[in-house]
Amino acid sequence: MVTTRSLDIASSCKELYGHTYNLKSLTLDDSWTLFCKKTFRENKCPPELQGLSQNILKRCRGLPLAIVAIGGVLSTKEKTVIEWEIVHRSLGSLLESDDKLKSMQNILSLSYNDLPYYLKPCLLYLGIFPEDYLIGSSRLINLWIAEGFVREKQRMTVEEVAESHLYELIDRSLIQVAAKSHEGRVRQCQVHDFLREIILSKLRDQNFGAIVEHNTKFLEKVRRLSIHNSANNVPQNMSFSYLRSLFMFRVDSIPKLYLDPFFSSSRLLRVLDLRDAPLEKLPNEIVNLFHLRYLSLSGTKIKKLPKNMGKLQNLMTLILEGTTVRELPSEIFKLKWLRYLSVYKEEKVLESIFFDFIGFCGPVGIGNLVNLQELFYIDVNEGGDVIRELGSLSQLRRLGVVGLRREDGPELCSSIEKMSNLRLLCVTSQEEEVLDLQFLSSPPLLLQRLFLRGYLEKFPNWISSLYNLKTIYLWRCRLRDNSLEVLQSFPNLVMLSLDRAYDVEELCFKAGGFQKLKVLVLNYFERLNMVRVEEEAMPHLETLFISRNKMLKKVPLGIHFLTNLKKLYLYEMPNEFEMSLKANKKVGDYLEVSHIPFNLFGYYRDGRRGDP
């Protein structure tokens, strides 16, 4: 028998021997069985230790090696709450002192030692984040790039190379996938607790970085500093002159006595991640951080940026999500290396599954940022030159536009035609304005995600040529044509959200249509009273959301044809619909029906990878 944490080796063994068994992550029941067998001779956990046992088991996260090692340690301890609580609290130090756990540490360390040189710093970087923290893949990728861990390869962008690094670490079972999009992309990831302890040990040994929690000691010449819970734990006399990166997590307050010396002395800083920090004003001294590549002020109370932001000539990522910043200083458009610009705030729309996005006012000069890969969300309500300048951003992979007027539709189409690398497009019109996008003669054929929000007098005919589309959102479109038949022919579509998309009384999903669709959302159809599903339609549909369709009083006719349907989510549906569902015996035997709080739909607010 060969055991391995490498997917490549496992695949080779399968070719040689014909069978592989995935033991890298056990189910909760199997984990509990293994834990009890290793820990208790009678294979049964005493009632008084149930709670602690479950908490300890959670830290193993289904890893058999960890379960066996921890179970072996506990089997030698007295079966008392006090004794077990000590083990639970001191697992980190036990990894280095207990012989049973030390063998597990040695095995996991081999996985690190076996890494190629370019993946080692990428893995060590995960130690910066708090325990059990869900890391957005987009955030992680941009941080790796800013730190200089990733190099461009021929015919690949640096983001694509970084993403390949992420998937390689996942294949080696060194990073765990916490959430995926319906398209199969990794949205969030995390690192196993025990592997994190090994990473933290190597952070200290190699002076790669320091974590400041309670009374943490760290070296003077620290290059990466991650402050958890309280900034008061940072010594007042600490020198920041060697610092390359600074992170803050769950910090309630930032003493002013730290800010001034920090921004005046941290001249070598490359990464400044102050996400959700209690910061209301950004010191003007930040413009002196010439080497800064990554700046995240997401979730802060920042209202404006310093005027001289153009001095940050090396800035590659600027994130202002969730702030009230609506205008950017014109000097930002001198930042020729900027690749990721995200400035918006979300507002929940009560009757919709969507969030409205309030973007930043698109000024003249945006076209100078020719290296931009992602731009969210630019408000083009004044039209004209701003929309025309978007055509200069030919490298864009993801674009979000809000505030479009009807008369500016042709100009936007002209600009989009120049974005041949576009993968995601989100366009929102002004309230009650027609979304006129009929003029796109050469659409970006690599487009995978499309979000249209606004009244469509006619379904854009160019959409039918986008065979790579995987996700489509239509919101407030009020279509009356037969464009649903066009959508049904898309070969790769896995997610379709229709939110007031059609002003019709009946929707019909025809035989042979939507061959790969996994998720369907039907929300807020004012006149819809009938949904029909023909046999062999949507054969792979797994999840169906039906909400706020007040005239729909019967379960979709033919729903029993959806043999792979696992979950039906309902929200604010008529009582008659509920009664019809209960009376449908063909559905009730195999379908999980849930009545959900409406904010669960927030997960589907956009199709980008990364943080939810």
Side-chain angles (χ1 to χ4, degrees):
M1 181 174 69
V2 178
T3 62
T4 178
R5 295 175 61 81
S6 170
L7 186 64
D8 290 339
I9 296 175
S11 299
S12 299
C13 290
K14 185 174 183 180
E15 291 177 9
L16 288 172
Y17 307 116
H19 298 284
T20 59
Y21 300 92
N22 181 10
L23 293 178
K24 67 181 181 182
S25 183
L26 298 178
T27 65
L28 187 59
D29 289 341
D30 289 341
S31 296
W32 180 250
T33 300
L34 180 60
F35 178 80
C36 289
K37 284 182 177 180
K38 189 65 181 176
T39 309
F40 308 103
R41 291 181 180 178
E42 62 274 20
N43 294 339
K44 186 176 181 182
C45 178
E48 66 272 17
L49 295 177
Q50 284 272 357
L52 265 175
S53 296
Q54 293 288 356
N55 289 335
I56 292 172
L57 191 60
K58 283 180 183 177
R59 298 190 67 176
C60 298
R61 291 206 197 124
L63 183 67
L65 182 63
I67 296 170
V68 170
I70 294 298
V73 171
L74 291 172
S75 67
T76 65
K77 303 293 182 181
E78 291 184 31
K79 305 301 186 287
T80 66
V81 172
I82 293 176
E83 191 73 19
W84 281 42
E85 199 279 329
I86 293 173
V87 174
H88 180 238
R89 182 164 22 97
S90 59
L91 275 177
S93 59
L94 282 174
L95 275 174
E96 298 181 358
S97 60
D98 188 280
D99 289 340
K100 293 184 177 66
L101 294 183
K102 203 167 185 178
S103 64
M104 180 187 72
Q105 183 185 26
N106 292 335
I107 292 172
L108 292 176
S109 293
L110 285 175
S111 298
Y112 170 80
N113 295 333
D114 186 52
L115 287 176
Y117 72 92
Y118 57 86
L119 288 182
K120 286 183 177 180
C122 294
L123 180 63
L124 291 183
Y125 210 72
L126 296 174
I128 296 293
F129 298 91
E131 185 177 354
D132 296 328
Y133 193 87
L134 298 179
I135 309 166
S137 59
S138 179
R139 181 183 185 185
L140 184 60
I141 283 170
N142 287 328
L143 285 168
W144 284 346
I145 293 170
E147 292 281 4
F149 298 158
V150 185
R151 295 287 182 266
E152 284 189 12
K153 292 182 179 179
Q154 191 173 10
R155 297 183 180 179
M156 291 179 71
T157 66
V158 67
E159 287 83 5
E160 289 171 336
V161 176
E163 190 170 24
S164 71
H165 291 356
L166 174 64
Y167 281 96
E168 189 171 350
L169 287 170
I170 291 171
D171 288 344
R172 290 172 175 265
S173 302
L174 294 173
I175 292 181
Q176 295 180 319
V177 177
K180 279 188 175 184
S181 71
H182 295 295
E183 305 159 14
R185 298 175 68 89
V186 175
R187 290 175 57 88
Q188 294 176 311
C189 59
Q190 58 187 162
V191 64
H192 195 284
D193 288 355
F194 298 129
L195 186 58
R196 182 174 182 270
E197 293 295 338
I198 294 171
I199 290 174
L200 292 180
S201 173
K202 294 188 180 298
L203 286 183
R204 293 188 292 268
D205 294 344
Q206 300 179 21
N207 193 24
F208 185 90
I211 313 300
V212 180
E213 291 183 282
H214 303 295
N215 296 317
T216 311
K217 295 181 180 180
F218 49 86
L219 299 173
E220 277 295 319
K221 297 180 180 180
V222 62
R223 294 175 180 267
R224 297 176 184 87
L225 185 64
S226 183
I227 303 173
H228 299 181
N229 304 320
S230 175
N232 291 318
N233 294 319
V234 181
Q236 295 185 21
N237 59 351
M238 179 182 174
S239 171
F240 296 105
S241 58
Y242 292 92
L243 202 62
R244 301 292 195 275
S245 307
L246 176 67
F247 297 82
M248 289 190 181
F249 296 97
R250 303 163 185 160
V251 173
D252 294 330
S253 63
I254 305 177
K256 193 176 186 304
L257 59 93
Y258 289 118
L259 285 179
D260 294 337
F262 171 77
F263 283 107
S264 62
S265 63
S266 303
R267 296 302 178 89
L268 300 178
L269 202 71
R270 289 184 175 186
V271 170
L272 182 57
D273 193 328
L274 301 178
R275 179 178 181 142
D276 297 325
L279 194 65
E280 296 184 2
K281 184 180 179 181
L282 198 61
N284 290 327
E285 287 78 10
I286 194 173
V287 301
N288 297 322
L289 303 179
F290 177 78
H291 298 282
L292 195 66
R293 297 181 181 179
Y294 181 102
L295 176 60
S296 175
L297 302 169
S298 176
T300 65
K301 296 180 181 179
I302 296 291
K303 296 180 181 178
K304 63 179 182 179
L305 298 178
K307 292 182 179 180
N308 295 329
M309 292 290 287
K311 289 185 176 181
L312 301 175
Q313 284 295 306
N314 291 293
L315 195 65
M316 302 172 72
T317 297
L318 177 59
I319 305 176
L320 294 163
E321 298 169 4
T323 68
T324 56
V325 175
R326 293 296 162 264
E327 294 185 6
L328 299 179
S330 58
E331 283 215 358
I332 278 186
F333 305 115
K334 297 179 181 179
L335 305 179
K336 60 180 180 179
W337 298 114
L338 198 64
R339 299 175 70 87
Y340 188 106
L341 179 59
S342 187
V343 187
Y344 65 87
K345 188 173 184 179
E346 298 173 343
E347 282 194 353
K348 186 71 183 74
V349 182
L350 292 178
E351 77 280 6
S352 173
I353 64 172
F354 279 111
F355 286 76
D356 248 341
F357 295 105
I358 302 175
F360 69 96
C361 298
V364 173
I366 189 74
N368 294 327
L369 303 178
V370 293
N371 286 304
L372 271 185
Q373 300 285 310
E374 302 191 15
L375 175 60
F376 296 101
Y377 280 84
I378 181 169
D379 192 328
V380 296
N381 64 78
E382 295 185 4
D385 294 336
V386 174
I387 298 178
R388 194 173 302 114
E389 284 192 19
L390 290 179
S392 300
L393 310 180
S394 58
Q395 300 301 313
L396 275 179
R397 300 293 178 105
R398 299 171 183 86
L399 171 65
V401 175
V402 297
L404 188 70
R405 302 176 302 181
R406 177 173 188 160
E407 58 266 31
D408 294 318
E411 194 70 64
L412 180 62
C413 289
S414 177
S415 292
I416 292 174
E417 285 181 349
K418 300 169 185 175
M419 304 175 188
S420 58
N421 294 310
L422 208 60
R423 305 299 200 273
L424 184 151
L425 174 63
C426 177
V427 183
T428 303
S429 68
Q430 292 184 20
E431 192 71 27
E432 300 304 322
E433 279 273 353
V434 171
L435 192 58
D436 194 0
L437 299 174
Q438 295 293 331
F439 308 93
L440 197 56
S441 57
S442 300
L445 297 179
L446 298 178
L447 201 67
Q448 294 180 332
R449 284 160 281 178
L450 178 64
F451 303 76
L452 299 180
R453 310 178 187 186
Y455 176 40
L456 289 171
E457 289 182 330
K458 184 181 178 182
F459 191 68
N461 54 15
W462 50 268
I463 294 179
S464 61
S465 63
L466 302 177
Y467 291 108
N468 290 304
L469 274 178
K470 294 183 177 181
T471 295
I472 297 178
Y473 281 57
L474 299 178
W475 181 26
R476 296 195 320 233
C477 297
R478 293 177 285 172
L479 288 160
R480 295 187 178 184
D481 55 24
N482 62 347
S483 54
L484 187 62
E485 295 184 15
V486 176
L487 298 178
Q488 292 184 101
S489 64
F490 281 89
N492 297 303
L493 196 65
V494 295
M495 168 76 181
L496 176 63
S497 179
L498 302 177
D499 188 330
R500 281 184 290 174
Y502 288 92
D503 184 17
V504 295
E505 293 184 355
E506 181 178 328
L507 286 178
C508 179
F509 297 89
K510 294 190 174 181
F514 295 116
Q515 284 295 297
K516 290 191 177 181
L517 196 68
K518 292 182 178 180
V519 180
L520 174 64
V521 177
L522 303 175
N523 181 64
Y524 213 127
F525 286 75
E526 294 182 354
R527 297 197 300 129
L528 184 67
N529 59 45
M530 173 68 74
V531 176
R532 289 193 298 115
V533 179
E534 295 183 357
E535 190 172 2
E536 296 183 359
M538 302 185 287
H540 297 289
L541 192 71
E542 297 176 355
T543 305
L544 175 60
F545 293 85
I546 302 179
S547 58
R548 291 186 177 234
N549 298 298
K550 296 181 179 179
M551 300 300 292
L552 186 60
K553 298 178 181 180
K554 292 184 179 181
V555 173
L557 188 64
I559 192 173
H560 59 279
F561 292 135
L562 305 176
T563 54
N564 283 304
L565 188 63
K566 297 180 178 67
K567 294 182 180 180
L568 172 61
Y569 291 106
L570 304 177
Y571 180 76
E572 286 194 7
M573 292 298 293
N575 291 333
E576 294 90 338
F577 186 93
E578 303 274 356
M579 294 172 63
S580 172
L581 181 63
K582 292 177 181 178
N584 194 323
K585 296 181 180 179
K586 294 181 180 179
V587 173
D589 292 339
Y590 67 89
L591 186 60
E592 178 185 335
V593 180
S594 301
H595 296 75
I596 59 173
F598 199 56
N599 58 14
L600 179 67
F601 285 131
Y603 176 78
Y604 302 104
R605 68 178 185 255
D606 72 14
R608 296 165 51 203
R609 66 170 195 260
D611 302 309

